[in-house]
Amino acid sequence: MSHVVVAPDKFKGSLTARRVAGHVAAGLRVAAPGLDVVELPVADGGDGTVDAALSAGFRSVPVIAEGPTGEPVTTAFALRDGVAVVEMADVSGLSRLPGGRLDPLRAGSRGTGQVVRAALDAGARTVVLGLGGSASTDGGAGLAQALGARVRRDDGRDVERGGAGLLDVAEVDLRGLHPKIADTEFIVACDVDNPLLGPRGAAAVYGPQKGAGPGDVAVLDRALARWAAQVARATGADHAATPGAGAAGGVGFAALALLGAAPRPGIDIVLELVGYADRLRGARLVITGEGSLDEQTLSGKAPAGVAAAAARAGVPVAAVAGRTTLAAPDLAAAGISRVYALSDLEPDRRRSMTEAGPLLERLAARLAADLGLARPGGDA
């Protein structure tokens, strides 16, 4: 009997992608005993990216690094066959802010650079850097410092942590950069095309999400412009206007300008890491999903990427979600034939989130019955 691939993203605030896949698989197996179910949790390059790699057979390498405001945090990267997966959200992300207190001017990306450095020291020849969920707008200066760059003020001292500190940058010295950078391939999981500066830049577009008011945005944009000018002076190339430079508070800029990184859609990278194409061979159905299927889903989020790849392989796709605001034509255009939402079983949003696991198992059982998965050779 052909198999079913369960490849969801997380239900944010409720379940990790791995737990979503587990509950869906459990519901399918109850309704269709003997059904071959392949659990393949995915992510779009933000939080959950390392966990997806670990689920696919990578090993976890723990690291103690600096959180966005300087406190030490315990994080990890995933490693297999010389490929390391680093997740910015788990070290320099909003979830790592002490007490959840936003600090738009002083939060930094140094910890992400420390994890990258640990991956290089562990022998990684390719580093995949997931940029979603960052807490900082420092242009990647912290990342660069952790990798050996000196970012100095006029008096020769290092600039202060965070984007505001870049108002004082007078020199960028790259002579101390980690020697393995030149021989390492860096791939940035990046789903945005924003430049570093201006009305579509890192500060203006994403700064408010990190607590930046209008005055803070203006300060950060000036600081990032000064940083970009000094980096261009040090490297001989200006990447401030390059699409994706504004990602993750400008870490995209540092990755492009200093690491020679190539930006790619996050879900495409993750699907390669977890071997999705191989799992599609012989599959009768793919089940994907996330907490909310909405307009953002159609703009490069994980379920859209999962569905698009399945469509190219001729495999039908169904989805599970906490809720959905998409009409049937939009879902069909994305390659999703039908959606099963927790809100159909439990309209109370709070209860839907706290009881998401059991509700997902019920939805999966309903899906199995509707699509004839319990019958040998049944149509999907």
Side-chain angles (χ1 to χ4, degrees):
M1 182 187 297
S2 55
H3 61 280
V4 172
V5 177
V6 180
D9 199 352
K10 62 187 173 298
F11 278 34
K12 191 170 185 178
S14 184
L15 297 173
T16 65
R18 193 191 299 229
R19 292 182 64 195
V20 173
H23 284 295
V24 171
L28 292 175
R29 291 179 177 123
V30 168
L35 181 67
D36 186 3
V37 182
V38 175
E39 298 174 39
L40 201 70
V42 299
D44 60 10
D47 52 320
T49 298
V50 164
D51 195 48
L54 297 179
S55 297
F58 282 66
R59 67 180 177 92
S60 178
V61 182
V63 181
I64 296 176
E66 181 179 297
T69 51
E71 296 79 4
V73 300
T74 300
T75 184
F77 63 91
L79 183 66
R80 183 177 68 185
D81 298 333
V83 177
V85 182
V86 175
E87 181 182 311
M88 187 175 184
D90 195 51
V91 59
S92 306
L94 291 165
S95 65
R96 290 297 197 171
L97 288 166
R101 294 184 299 275
L102 301 173
D103 199 349
L105 298 180
R106 293 183 296 177
S109 61
R110 181 184 287 268
T112 300
Q114 291 170 339
V115 179
V116 172
R117 187 179 194 97
L120 295 176
D121 291 342
R125 299 180 300 278
T126 298
V127 175
V128 176
L129 182 56
L131 293 187
S134 77
S136 61
T137 310
D138 74 343
L143 174 141
Q145 289 172 308
L147 290 171
R150 296 296 303 276
V151 185
R152 299 189 181 97
R153 309 187 320 182
D154 277 327
D155 60 9
R157 292 188 297 170
D158 292 342
V159 299
E160 297 292 328
R161 178 193 302 109
L166 297 175
L167 286 171
D168 298 324
V169 63
E171 179 192 17
V172 176
D173 183 351
L174 303 177
R175 289 174 295 179
L177 276 178
H178 197 295
K180 291 187 178 180
I181 288 175
D183 300 319
T184 302
E185 178 187 18
F186 290 90
I187 302 171
V188 171
C190 176
D191 294 315
V192 301
D193 61 359
N194 303 73
L196 180 66
L197 307 172
R200 292 190 62 249
V205 176
Y206 303 109
Q209 300 171 9
K210 304 169 188 182
D216 297 328
V217 168
V219 167
L220 290 168
D221 199 56
R222 290 200 307 272
L224 291 173
R226 189 174 179 94
W227 161 241
Q230 292 300 326
V231 170
R233 182 178 178 184
T235 64
D238 185 356
H239 287 275
T242 302
V251 170
F253 167 77
L256 293 166
L258 304 179
L259 305 181
R264 292 185 55 203
I267 183 58
D268 291 353
I269 295 171
V270 172
L271 292 182
E272 288 182 13
L273 291 173
V274 303
Y276 181 58
D278 292 336
R279 300 295 193 174
L280 282 176
R281 296 191 184 99
R284 63 194 292 191
L285 176 70
V286 169
I287 301 173
T288 189
E290 63 180 346
S292 179
L293 284 173
D294 50 33
E295 289 295 328
Q296 289 189 347
T297 303
L298 305 179
S299 303
K301 291 292 188 178
V306 167
R312 291 192 292 271
V315 181
V317 178
V320 293
R323 67 184 186 95
T324 182
T325 61
L326 295 176
D330 294 324
L331 291 166
I336 299 172
S337 61
R338 61 180 79 191
V339 175
Y340 292 78
L342 300 187
S343 58
D344 294 337
L345 298 178
E346 177 50 73
D348 184 281
R349 185 171 181 271
R350 182 187 61 81
R351 292 185 61 185
S352 177
M353 292 182 69
T354 58
E355 301 174 17
L359 290 172
L360 273 172
E361 294 183 23
R362 288 173 56 189
L363 280 184
R366 177 183 293 182
L367 182 155
D370 289 349
L371 300 184
L373 298 181
R375 301 192 307 270
D379 293 335

